[in-house]
Amino acid sequence: MKIVDRETGKRLKEVDPVKANVEKDAEISEGELSPMDPPDAYSSYASIEVENDKMDESLMQFKKEHENLTEVLEVFEKAIHEFKELGYVLNNNINDGFKKFFDFFDNDLLPHNRKEEKVLFPVLQKALLKNNEHGTGKKPVTAVDIMEDDHVKFIQLGSLTFNLLGLAPRFRDEQSKLFTYDVAYNSAKELIEMIRLHIFREDNTLFPLAQKYISQKEFEQICLEMNMHENEDIESTHHDHNHDHDHHHHH
Ligand SMILES: [Fe+2]
Ligand SMILES: [Fe+2]
């Protein structure tokens, strides 16, 4: 399974999971793919099949957290759609959806990402490099590098969306307000899609790779550190967003 190009070390386009698997089978040339029928980034070709009962409990915990995130994403997506349909007028339902998402973003998603970065990624990075699961560029790039990259983009796009939603109502000019809401809507949609694809890649590619290359002993250490990390994160302060009041940037 490769989600980086071995030649350049660069991240393959969104079609990468397809390419990743067909490289061993017949090569599909770009020309054969109709623009009307783009390869699905979520194609089952991307998956490495691992039964849940064969996955380490640390990976199962991360997967569980992804399920919670997916539920909140659905609530947020419904809210942002309704908001647009109503011509960008807030109601309680929309407001609750926004609040739920941004609270979850700060209090659950960011800690989840930090936990992956601190506890799982360093061990997995070593294992991937050792087993040649990386690009062949000057600097070897692995699936872990790409997932870390995604985490940074979440923060950027999440902050942008949050700030645009706070900025828009301050315009007196109706057109500027609607334009800003449109930009906020688009960045929210992009964020939702990006997070969904990230979850898909971790569940179906990264975690199976981890299961394959990380030893039982290492997993035991990972589980220990996960529990320690959990307690540290609970001690840190929780943020609270309120979207019907003026707000400032929260990070
Ligand atoms: Fe992640
Ligand atoms: Fe994750």
Side-chain angles (χ1 to χ4, degrees):
M1 179 62 219
K2 302 292 171 300
I3 55 180
V4 282
D5 187 307
R6 278 188 181 278
E7 298 308 316
T8 62
K10 282 203 183 115
R11 180 180 192 157
L12 294 169
K13 288 194 202 104
E14 299 302 47
V15 298
D16 54 354
V18 181
K19 279 192 185 169
N21 214 333
V22 295
E23 68 180 6
K24 281 182 195 131
D25 309 325
E27 287 278 341
I28 298 171
S29 76
E30 301 278 352
E32 287 173 49
L33 299 168
S34 155
M36 298 309 292
D37 185 24
D40 185 3
Y42 294 89
S43 163
S44 61
Y45 288 116
S47 309
I48 301 173
E49 296 290 331
V50 175
E51 298 294 325
N52 271 350
D53 59 355
K54 283 181 188 140
M55 271 224 183
D56 188 78
E57 60 177 295
S58 58
L59 301 175
M60 289 308 292
Q61 175 61 32
F62 282 130
K63 279 183 98 165
K64 178 87 194 67
E65 290 170 11
H66 288 169
E67 283 169 25
N68 298 337
L69 172 57
T70 300
E71 279 174 28
V72 176
L73 274 181
E74 271 165 31
V75 172
F76 182 49
E77 191 171 43
K78 279 200 187 116
I80 195 90
H81 277 157
E82 189 185 347
F83 188 45
K84 188 186 164 90
E85 272 165 25
L86 292 178
Y88 299 123
V89 177
L90 276 176
N91 61 31
N92 283 340
N93 187 44
I94 296 168
N95 202 57
D96 289 350
F98 287 179
K99 180 167 160 47
K100 192 172 183 193
F101 174 72
F102 287 109
D103 284 344
F104 190 91
F105 192 91
D106 277 354
N107 300 327
D108 297 272
L109 176 58
L110 295 184
H112 167 89
N113 290 350
R114 285 196 291 271
K115 199 164 61 179
E116 285 178 344
E117 287 166 16
K118 281 194 182 163
V119 173
L120 175 65
F121 288 1
V123 183
L124 182 54
Q125 179 75 327
K126 265 188 208 149
L128 292 180
L129 290 172
K130 202 174 115 194
N131 290 282
N132 284 320
E133 290 278 354
H134 59 74
T136 55
K138 265 187 191 155
K139 190 176 171 285
V141 175
T142 68
V144 166
D145 294 313
I146 290 165
M147 294 302 108
E148 282 180 341
D149 234 52
D150 280 355
H151 289 178
V152 175
K153 285 183 198 147
F154 291 175
I155 294 173
Q156 292 169 337
L157 208 47
S159 305
L160 179 68
T161 306
F162 183 79
N163 286 328
L164 286 169
L165 287 172
L167 175 67
R170 298 180 183 210
F171 286 107
R172 287 194 183 170
D173 174 51
E174 192 66 10
Q175 240 189 327
S176 309
K177 185 196 273 182
L178 293 181
F179 174 78
T180 308
Y181 272 134
D182 267 335
V183 180
Y185 172 83
N186 287 331
S187 70
K189 291 284 287 175
E190 195 185 336
L191 178 64
I192 291 164
E193 280 315 306
M194 192 188 278
I195 294 175
R196 284 205 179 119
L197 184 57
H198 182 83
I199 289 174
F200 180 86
R201 284 174 162 153
E202 287 188 340
D203 286 352
N204 296 287
T205 303
L206 198 77
F207 295 170
L209 281 173
Q211 191 59 49
K212 187 174 172 191
Y213 293 120
I214 292 176
S215 71
Q216 193 47 48
K217 215 181 155 191
E218 285 170 319
F219 269 129
E220 279 162 26
Q221 185 62 28
I222 286 170
C223 283
L224 275 175
E225 283 178 30
M226 257 176 108
N227 293 332
M228 273 161 55
H229 194 79
E230 206 106 314
N231 297 332
E232 276 168 33
D233 246 55
I234 288 166
E235 282 162 27
S236 70
T237 43
H238 276 210
H239 299 271
D240 198 50
H241 292 295
N242 221 330
H243 273 262
D244 43 9
H245 299 300
D246 272 9
H247 47 238
H248 299 280
H249 186 44
H250 57 294
H251 288 296

